Amino acid sequence: AETGHDQRIAVIGLGRFGTSLAEELMRRGWEVLGIDSDERLVQQHRDTLTQVVLADATDEEVLGQLALHEFPRAVVAIGSHVEASILTTSNLLEAGVPNLWAKAISRQHGKILERLGAHHVILPEHEMGERVAHLVTGRMLNF
Ligand code: ATP
């Protein structure tokens, strides 16, 4: 159960987005579990995150072993591997993660993640494009 003080978070997928997110959370004093199926990326983060695990996040058994259902928050930062994103999101929701953020690479992908029940869907390219439009037109309000 969430205490409100539990600053643990799982970041699944340590690509550009996941890495940037995980590192910022570490700077803010959070405990970050990073998961990636790419050994090179896991090695790269060994000393920068609280814990890093080499695993296929689509494997339900792996999620159980890592006790991800006990995390109050998780972010699925897998993008272009759409099938892996969908499977991982579905498994984490089934495991009962209470606050799940999922990244999408297209509006259609985002719609699927929403239908699965993801609590927050992020579309980094679309959202950043909108923000840059505000910036270049000099409309700084709501940035
Ligand atoms: P970014 O733009 O953030 O660099 P991306 O949107 O291109 O990433 P992907 O390359 O699909 O997204 O995935 C991001 C990371 O997730 C990669 O480092 C990849 O190794 C990892 N990943 C993909 N599938 C799995 C999986 N099944 N289990 C664990 N990690 C995975």
Side-chain angles (χ1 to χ4, degrees):
E2 193 171 352
T3 60
H5 300 291
D6 194 333
Q7 298 211 127
R8 281 181 309 157
I9 187 160
V11 176
I12 296 131
L14 298 170
R16 293 165 301 173
F17 178 81
T19 293
S20 171
L21 169 71
E23 288 179 350
E24 180 61 20
L25 289 164
M26 289 298 291
R27 283 192 287 272
R28 291 175 184 233
W30 283 56
E31 283 178 39
V32 181
L33 164 64
I35 301 171
D36 205 289
S37 51
D38 182 337
E39 190 168 2
R40 198 176 42 88
L41 286 171
V42 168
Q43 286 297 342
Q44 192 182 306
H45 290 91
R46 193 132 274 164
D47 301 321
T48 57
L49 305 182
T50 311
Q51 196 188 351
V52 194
V53 173
L54 175 68
D56 178 357
T58 63
D59 186 338
E60 280 178 84
E61 222 170 283
V62 164
L63 301 182
Q65 280 164 3
L66 292 171
L68 282 186
H69 58 278
E70 289 175 7
F71 277 71
R73 296 174 186 83
V75 183
V76 181
I78 302 171
S80 29
H81 295 87
V82 174
E83 187 178 345
S85 152
I86 291 169
L87 282 172
T88 303
T89 300
S90 170
N91 290 340
L92 286 171
L93 288 168
E94 200 169 287
V97 173
N99 288 293
L100 188 67
W101 278 259
K103 175 185 123 157
I105 55 161
S106 68
R107 298 214 187 269
Q108 292 94 324
H109 181 194
K111 200 165 176 183
I112 293 169
L113 297 175
E114 267 169 22
R115 288 221 172 129
L116 284 174
H119 308 100
H120 310 271
V121 173
I122 313 143
L123 283 142
E125 282 85 2
H126 292 75
E127 288 161 12
M128 190 51 77
E130 285 168 10
R131 289 185 179 202
V132 171
H134 282 284
L135 272 181
V136 298
T137 55
R139 288 176 54 208
M140 293 298 289
L141 295 175
N142 302 325
F143 181 77

